[in-house]
Amino acid sequence: MALPDGFLDELRGRVSLARIAERQLSWDRAKTRSNRGEYWACCPFHHEKTASFKIDDKTGRYYCFGCHVKGDAISYVMHTGNMGFMEAVESLAAEAGLAMPERDPKAAARAEAKASLSDLLEDAVRFYRMQLRSAQAAAARDYLTGRTLDDAALERFEIGYAPGGGKALVEAFTRRGTALAELERAGLITIPDDGRAPYDRFRDRIMFPIRDGRGRAIGFGGRAMDPNAPAKYYNSPDTPLFDKGRSLYNHKPAREAAGRAGALIVAEGYMDVIALVRAGFAHAVAPLGTAVTPEQLGLMWRMTDEPVIALDGDKAGMAAAARLIDRALPLLEPGKSLRFALLPSGQDPDDVIRSQGAEAMQSLLAAARPLIDLLWERETTRQPLDTPERRAAFDQTLRRLIGEIAHPGVRAHYTADLRARRQALFGSPQRQTQAPLRRGGLRPAPGAASMATRATPLARAEISEATLARSTEEAILRCCLAEPVRAAELDDALDRAVFLNLDLDALRRALLAALPDCVGRDDPAAELTDILTRSLGRPPAAFLADPPKATLTRATRGGDPAGRTGDELRDRLSRLLAERGLSAEAQEAGERLAEDPSASWRLRDAALAREKAAESEAQTAKSATVDRESISAYFNDLQMRQIWVKKKR
């Protein structure tokens, strides 16, 4: 929201920067001159042993002579509290008793109503804490003692108890004049529709107050003491203040700690967070009994770039991690992701800390794995990948998951990473079946050495086919260089289209590796050319014929006002993959023919299919074509000579 002129100046004039900072800093008595408004301390923004951080309380400014950071009360609260600008302004305004400007009277009324509800919830926090000392709470106190929570921990986390019976809170608050409607709006009681008397929402439960990022009480979580209760944990309902899908337990303290630690731990429940904080991991939060929502992910990413998810190491925990991966994929951005700390089976952070200590927990956090690792592990272990059909389904799933990523740069990098993992898992069938002949030359089918010399019609056909292959591959590369974004979208086909010309194939591989770094840039084509020039030692144009072969269209040569380059790239890749598939079929047919003379029809059909594909490409490109008569003559010669019959020596 826009702030009126003079508001920030008035705010800075009302607050004392020294008073704000002394909650976190210890003043150096030798250097501090409070009568002059000069205060010195060790800098909160970098590690040091001598006081080089100075606050001038008269001007409301600070400066560090070590790291040279400087600012005012607003920037100080922003950085030490890990807050945004408006959050810091609102926090300081509340402390100074300065009302934030409202946009309209309705907004002011809503703000006043929320403040009233927050005050009511603060009263409820005190009520539940007092009840924990009552005789009714003996079992609750024993439970908490068994979880090693001492009085200091109970005080720090404001843990309380809601008595059973359903009347304790409603009677206590109505006696002091609180309206039933207000108690219901705060989520503290339930008013039945059938005319029965109102009753407490929380009954016989250990109570955990939930606060927002500014530290205001907004709701409660309650753990049932009765093992037969319908729900072990029970949260406040949605209210004008509370939405469990948009809130985090321990939000404000964790945000401040995350700003200092540069990290955030996400555990499953209240007791896990409490155990982590008591063990020295103050930067810990938990969702409120539900799967992590996109809104909660946004809150986490505002605290740190890569929160570490520390879920239980059982099936339920791994299932929760899988759901979180699916929810996070569409929201990933450069630098914003998740890591996963894999805990021992059946243990949560509280179990690990109690049984092995904080050092063991720190080791697990340090070994946290990136999101893509767990995504790959999940998909490769769902079922065996031992058949072509299962591998095809696996490929389809990967493509669908990658397609969920909205940011083009992140999507491109995931595509490249998963492609490399897939190739390592399965290998590249085309690389296994095609062997190089020479630099810039073709990979001949097995048995090509026994063919007639290059003076034969077949040799002329091979030369013609080599020319066609090179011009096609060059055309594809020119399209990619002109339209890197479209090339990134078609990178799966480009990865499978292993080129016959080794120099062009080297350019193709380098181009695939470079595409993720180009997508999302202001000028992807220029960026791609720069990267390729650095990685290959010469510009990509040096690999390509100049001028382009006659097979190139206007789109490929440039100057294409209709923007058909991307469509041409798609079409050429499709035709190339189809033609290479027919070549593999012809090769297989030849091998079958050598083993089984009765299968000569396979060779004949493969030749016809190959001939048809070549004709289609020739008509589209209007350039050099395969000498179809020579190919037909060659296959007829194979049949006439009966090459499958072993000759007598």
Side-chain angles (χ1 to χ4, degrees):
M1 65 181 282
L3 297 172
D5 294 339
F7 178 81
L8 293 180
D9 290 337
E10 183 179 358
L11 176 62
R12 294 185 182 102
R14 285 203 186 192
V15 298
S16 166
L17 177 55
R19 185 175 299 174
I20 294 168
E22 68 183 1
R23 301 166 189 163
Q24 300 165 314
L25 305 178
S26 297
W27 303 128
D28 185 311
R29 294 183 179 180
K31 299 175 69 174
T32 295
R33 299 290 184 269
S34 57
N35 59 329
R36 299 180 186 174
E38 295 181 1
Y39 297 84
W40 291 81
C42 289
C43 181
F45 303 111
H46 80 285
H47 297 292
E48 62 176 4
K49 295 182 180 179
T50 58
S52 60
F53 183 78
K54 178 186 176 182
I55 288 178
D56 186 336
D57 207 35
K58 292 182 178 179
T59 62
R61 306 287 298 180
Y62 62 83
Y63 179 76
C64 176
F65 290 86
C67 66
H68 308 294
V69 65
K70 59 184 177 180
D72 59 10
I74 297 173
S75 62
Y76 183 88
V77 172
M78 286 175 62
H79 291 108
T80 59
N82 202 17
M83 296 183 185
F85 176 77
M86 287 305 302
E87 287 180 291
V89 170
E90 290 174 359
S91 176
L92 288 172
E95 183 169 333
L98 183 63
M100 288 290 293
E102 298 293 343
R103 295 181 180 178
D104 54 57
K106 291 182 179 179
R110 287 194 298 269
E112 185 176 350
K114 287 184 177 181
S116 176
L117 283 184
S118 185
D119 291 341
L120 184 55
L121 288 166
E122 292 290 358
D123 290 341
V125 171
R126 290 188 285 271
F127 172 79
Y128 290 135
R129 290 183 64 189
M130 287 190 298
Q131 295 303 311
L132 186 60
R133 305 189 189 100
S134 68
Q136 294 185 62
R141 291 194 298 272
D142 290 343
Y143 170 82
L144 293 169
T145 301
R147 298 298 296 265
T148 70
L149 295 185
D150 54 18
D151 290 341
L154 300 180
E155 179 77 17
R156 179 176 184 178
F157 296 99
E158 304 176 289
I159 297 174
Y161 174 72
K167 297 294 183 182
L169 183 139
V170 68
E171 290 178 352
F173 276 70
T174 53
R175 277 198 302 268
R176 55 181 247 184
T178 306
L180 292 174
E182 284 297 291
L183 292 172
E184 185 181 40
R185 287 184 72 239
L188 295 172
I189 69 170
T190 299
I191 302 178
D193 295 332
D194 58 6
R196 288 182 294 130
Y199 57 88
D200 297 350
R201 182 174 182 85
F202 297 97
R203 303 178 299 280
D204 192 23
R205 289 179 179 267
I206 294 174
M207 301 296 289
F208 300 89
I210 300 169
R211 296 183 177 276
D212 64 10
R214 292 174 55 185
R216 300 174 301 181
I218 57 175
F220 291 92
R223 186 197 186 281
M225 293 304 301
D226 183 357
N228 298 317
K232 183 177 180 181
Y233 282 94
Y234 193 43
N235 292 318
S236 292
D238 286 349
T239 71
L241 287 179
F242 181 68
D243 180 344
K244 65 181 178 182
R246 298 174 182 269
S247 307
L248 295 168
Y249 182 62
N250 199 45
H251 186 177
K252 183 177 184 292
R255 180 173 63 183
E256 296 171 353
R260 296 189 296 270
L264 181 71
I265 306 169
V266 183
E268 189 170 2
Y270 307 105
M271 293 303 299
D272 292 326
V273 169
I274 292 171
L276 285 164
V277 172
R278 296 183 68 209
F281 304 99
H283 47 289
V285 297
L288 303 172
T290 60
V292 176
T293 65
E295 291 78 13
Q296 288 171 327
L297 280 171
L299 293 175
M300 296 172 193
W301 278 326
R302 283 199 284 274
M303 297 187 226
T304 190
D305 286 345
E306 289 189 340
V308 176
I309 311 301
L311 298 175
D312 297 1
D314 53 16
K315 288 185 178 180
M318 296 308 294
R323 291 192 299 271
L324 180 53
I325 288 172
D326 291 333
R327 189 164 285 110
L329 279 176
L331 307 173
L332 299 179
E333 294 183 359
K336 301 290 186 182
S337 188
L338 300 172
R339 300 183 74 85
F340 292 82
L342 304 182
L343 277 60
S345 179
Q347 294 192 8
D348 56 30
D350 188 21
D351 297 325
V352 172
I353 292 170
R354 284 198 290 167
S355 62
Q356 303 177 52
E359 296 79 7
M361 190 67 218
Q362 178 58 50
S363 297
L364 291 170
L365 295 172
R369 298 170 60 188
L371 185 152
I372 194 170
D373 276 7
L374 266 70
L375 173 65
W376 177 257
E377 186 173 299
R378 182 187 75 178
E379 299 305 326
T380 53
T381 57
R382 278 184 167 174
Q383 67 172 356
L385 302 174
D386 54 349
T387 66
E389 295 83 2
R390 287 175 174 175
R391 289 192 289 273
F394 170 75
D395 290 343
Q396 189 177 48
T397 299
L398 287 186
R399 286 193 293 271
R400 177 183 60 79
L401 291 170
I402 291 171
E404 293 288 328
I405 302 173
H407 191 280
V410 176
R411 184 170 63 247
H413 279 287
Y414 263 72
T415 301
D417 191 301
L418 292 174
R419 181 194 301 117
R421 293 173 188 243
R422 185 197 179 283
Q423 186 166 322
L425 180 64
F426 297 134
S428 175
Q430 289 176 318
R431 293 182 188 276
Q432 296 169 3
T433 60
Q434 296 173 330
L437 175 62
R438 65 182 185 280
R439 180 175 180 80
L442 294 178
R443 296 173 173 86
S450 64
M451 295 180 183
T453 66
R454 294 196 176 272
T456 64
L458 180 66
R460 291 195 300 272
E462 182 181 339
I463 294 172
S464 179
E465 186 173 3
T467 302
L468 178 60
R470 186 166 189 90
S471 65
T472 298
E473 292 168 0
E474 284 191 3
I476 289 173
L477 290 171
R478 289 182 188 277
C479 289
C480 291
L481 291 169
E483 290 287 346
V485 175
R486 193 64 186 276
E489 295 173 356
L490 298 169
D491 60 352
D492 183 64
L494 189 61
D495 182 52
R496 290 184 285 117
V498 179
F499 289 173
L500 299 181
N501 296 276
L502 297 185
D503 57 336
L504 299 183
D505 195 53
L507 178 56
R508 179 193 65 88
R509 292 195 305 271
L511 188 144
L512 274 169
L515 283 175
D517 293 319
C518 303
V519 178
R521 299 296 183 94
D522 293 337
D523 191 345
E527 183 71 19
L528 178 59
T529 298
D530 290 344
I531 294 174
L532 291 176
T533 301
R534 291 194 300 270
S535 64
L536 297 171
R538 53 179 172 152
F543 290 78
L544 309 174
D546 187 19
K549 300 293 185 181
T551 54
L552 305 183
T553 66
R554 271 186 77 197
T556 314
R557 289 195 300 268
D560 174 30
R564 294 188 297 270
T565 306
D567 293 336
E568 179 175 347
L569 174 60
R570 180 199 61 211
D571 295 342
R572 284 186 176 275
L573 279 172
S574 298
R575 289 198 301 271
L576 179 68
L577 290 173
E579 198 277 339
R580 298 282 161 83
L582 291 173
S583 296
E585 185 176 339
Q587 176 184 326
E588 180 185 0
E591 294 172 353
R592 291 287 302 274
L593 184 61
E595 298 173 0
D596 180 10
S598 65
S600 61
W601 58 272
R602 288 183 176 274
L603 184 61
R604 201 162 44 244
D605 286 352
L608 291 173
R610 183 178 174 85
E611 178 182 341
K612 185 175 181 180
E615 182 179 10
S616 173
E617 173 66 18
Q619 289 175 351
T620 302
K622 295 182 181 179
S623 72
T625 59
V626 177
D627 187 346
R628 296 188 296 277
E629 293 80 10
S630 297
I631 292 179
S632 298
Y634 168 65
F635 284 120
N636 288 334
D637 178 64
L638 291 180
Q639 293 184 9
M640 292 293 295
R641 289 189 289 113
Q642 294 184 327
I643 63 170
W644 53 86
V645 178
K646 186 175 182 180
K647 307 300 183 187
K648 293 182 179 180
R649 295 184 179 181

